Amino acid sequence: MTLLNDAPMAAPAHGLSDEQQALVEMVRDFAQQELEPHAIEWDREKHFPLDVLHAAGELGFGGIYVREDVGGTELTRADTALIFEELAKGDVTIAAYISIHNMVAWMIDTFGDDDQRERWVPRLASMEHLGSYCLTEPDSGSDAGALATRAVRDGDDYILTGVKQFISGAGSTDVYIVMARTGEAGPGGITAFIVPADAPGLSFGPNEVKMGWNAQPTRPVILDGVRVPAADRLGAEGEGFTMAMKALNGGRLNIAACSLGGAQWALDRAVRHISTRRAFGAPLSTQQSLVFTIADMETELQAARLLLRSAAQSIDSGHPDVAAHCAMAKRFATDVAFTAANAALQLHGGYGYLAEYGIEKVVRDLRVHQILEGTNEIMKLIIGRSVLEKVS
Amino acid sequence: MRIIVLIKHVPDTWEERVLDPVTGRLDRSASERVVDEITERALEAALALKDRDKSIEVVALTMGPSESTGAIKKALSMGADSGIHLVDDALAGADAMTTAATLAAALRDAGADLIIAGNESTDGRGGVIPAMLAEHLGLPALTFVSELSIDGGRVRGERATETATSVVSAPLPAIVSITEGMPEPRFPSFKGIMGAKKKPVASHPLADLEPALAGSRSSASSVVLTCEQRPGRTGADPIVDEGDAGTKLAGWLIERRLAEQRLV
């Protein structure tokens, strides 16, 4: 297969600095040694590997773009995209959880006061504590501004009551950022709170039975009169929604990068498979139809990679259209990556459908990336509206 | 305390390694280069000592062409404090004698309390450098150890032999070579990677080492006379199993005198 051997522009390593190449190499070694050999078993057993997450924390995975004074590495979002792409090649689900954890650490680092940063972030950055992000509710998903969980001021505390749905890591994590309503209806009445796992009144529903993402728990989080000191309110009242959306800009890029990594892994496997598997007297890779499939997968993944890198630069440089850029990268990367992974399954024939080959797991894991961190329909709303705003 | 770790940039063990048919030397462009894993383990041994005693300074030393700075950078990102790079075109194709003499010249005044090396590289596989260095430097050598500790000015190690485990120890300064029985190397952290470029690396051409080299240079050196590519595989001889594959395979081996027939 000389077809794929020449590194084209926008190949994973194209244009990377020495440091970026060293970061990628380190993440590749970590993913290949610590994640990939266990990914199929963790999926089957629904095992959330806390020990591996703690080990990842020691290497800096818990505070990738968190500031250095509270234990982060303060890498750029461009670096972060490379890290998540490479990490997801080992296990999409674990990489995606680490993305969510980083959103939580980043929110407290960015919007917290000195006291909050000191108290919460160092142990999140080291992954001694794991984080969960609680925005979605049973009756509000895409319309997050309509959330119903209430936070009522009571002296120096707030009392939180409500239910959060689809919460990644819930029940196994230590720190929950909860968006709750303190004021009027709509996004402007929402405030963010930091809630520790052992807060009285905080409990968790059953671990959901899911199509994929089995190596991380997903549970409802139930807040029944949870008393949160005002010192653990993040930012001012009414700022919660804006903070949550800013965190999601980064989260969307990370999820896009996780999709890209999972799909690239599946593509690499498919290329190897069709180069060695013979049918009708020749390797499958001599069948023009399959060559075309590989070409489409490669082209779309490269395009997604370029869009992702460009959006990451938009966050790094504070571009005014950053939300639309992140939405485009997330929409495009998660769609083409799912399609590519599904094509990789098809190229494997019956073997692609077997758990042992790992391809069907990637397809199942990537499917949810089109739904979470904002559905791809919401991404289109953000993109379309940002284009239309310019003429109105 | 100062520990100097000898590291080596080698072609990736898992890739095809190619020799230049004219010079008989390694074709460095033919495969990706990595830090030899056994020397990463040597570095890990030094860093593990440093974990327990922060005052220990760990220096990574390599001899190799200019791209071997990549090996030093990796060592710095894993936690070494500084690097020393011996780099000179005249060292291309150096044999074990030249390599040992050059390394010894660099080590002589480097103030190492302990020198840690791998027992043998995955490319050259000579396995003689640590002992040669001990001879050049007049240091005790604890070779092939699979466990290592420092206590009260002495280094102690365990060496597995065919019949028993030897416990060996020597006063510092000393040189140690380690085996794959030592723990696996750590991953560099993100902070380690980003901080590596701020750490000092001293680069020395041969001229810098000249006075120290004069005493240890040997006139003897080995030279590659001829080098031939491994012949490609020729046509296979398929054996089709028609219920008698065992007999056919045995016959094939006997025909080629790869096995002998015994009547039982």
Side-chain angles (χ1 to χ4, degrees), chain A residues 211-222:
Chain A
M211 174 181 181
W213 266 33
N214 285 321
Q216 54 166 302
T218 306
R219 300 172 190 268
V221 171
I222 300 141

Side-chain angles (χ1 to χ4, degrees), chain B residues 47-204:
Chain B
L47 294 174
L49 293 169
K50 186 183 167 76
D51 287 343
R52 286 193 286 280
D53 177 359
K54 296 285 176 216
S55 70
I56 291 177
E57 182 200 357
V58 175
V59 183
L61 168 65
T62 196
M63 181 182 117
S66 58
E67 64 263 28
S68 297
T69 46
I72 292 184
K73 235 181 213 156
K74 176 85 187 282
L76 297 177
S77 72
M78 287 169 71
D81 298 291
S82 62
I84 301 173
H85 187 186
L86 311 181
V87 52
D88 198 305
D89 289 344
L91 287 168
D95 63 356
M97 297 284 277
T98 309
T99 301
T102 309
L103 289 172
L107 286 164
R108 192 156 285 133
D109 299 314
D113 298 288
L114 181 63
I115 298 163
I116 308 181
N119 57 347
E120 64 171 25
S121 63
T122 54
D123 58 348
R125 304 209 55 188
V128 292
I129 296 292
M132 287 174 136
L133 283 176
E135 188 66 22
H136 276 303
L137 298 169
L139 293 178
L142 274 55
T143 52
F144 293 90
V145 305
S146 54
E147 208 180 302
L148 179 64
S149 60
I150 307 178
D151 190 21
R154 290 186 75 83
V155 56
R156 181 190 158 285
E158 283 185 14
R159 177 195 292 150
T161 68
E162 279 173 22
T163 48
T165 300
S166 312
V167 177
V168 287
S169 87
L172 297 174
I175 180 163
V176 167
S177 80
I178 58 113
T179 69
E180 287 186 346
M182 292 291 286
E184 280 188 22
R186 65 193 60 192
F187 297 104
S189 69
F190 292 151
K191 274 186 192 167
I193 291 168
M194 300 313 282
K197 66 175 169 219
K198 296 179 201 122
K199 293 179 174 175
V201 178
S203 184
H204 295 298

Side-chain angles (χ1 to χ4, degrees), chain A residues 89-114:
Chain A
K89 291 178 187 170
D91 189 335
V92 169
T93 305
I94 300 306
Y97 170 72
I98 292 176
S99 158
I100 292 159
H101 173 88
N102 271 271
M103 267 171 44
V104 170
W106 177 84
M107 275 183 85
I108 305 179
D109 177 40
T110 304
F111 303 115
D113 57 30
D114 290 347

Side-chain angles (χ1 to χ4, degrees), chain A residues 19 22-23 26 29-30 33-34 59-61 71-73 75 83, chain B residues 32 34 73-74 184-185 187-191 193-194 196-198:
Chain A
E19 268 84 25
L23 290 170
M26 173 280 224
D29 289 346
F30 180 79
Q33 289 174 43
E34 306 299 322
L59 302 176
F61 281 98
T73 314
L75 295 176
I83 289 168
Chain B
E32 195 151 331
V34 298
K73 235 181 213 156
K74 176 85 187 282
E184 280 188 22
F187 297 104
S189 69
F190 292 151
K191 274 186 192 167
I193 291 168
M194 300 313 282
K197 66 175 169 219
K198 296 179 201 122

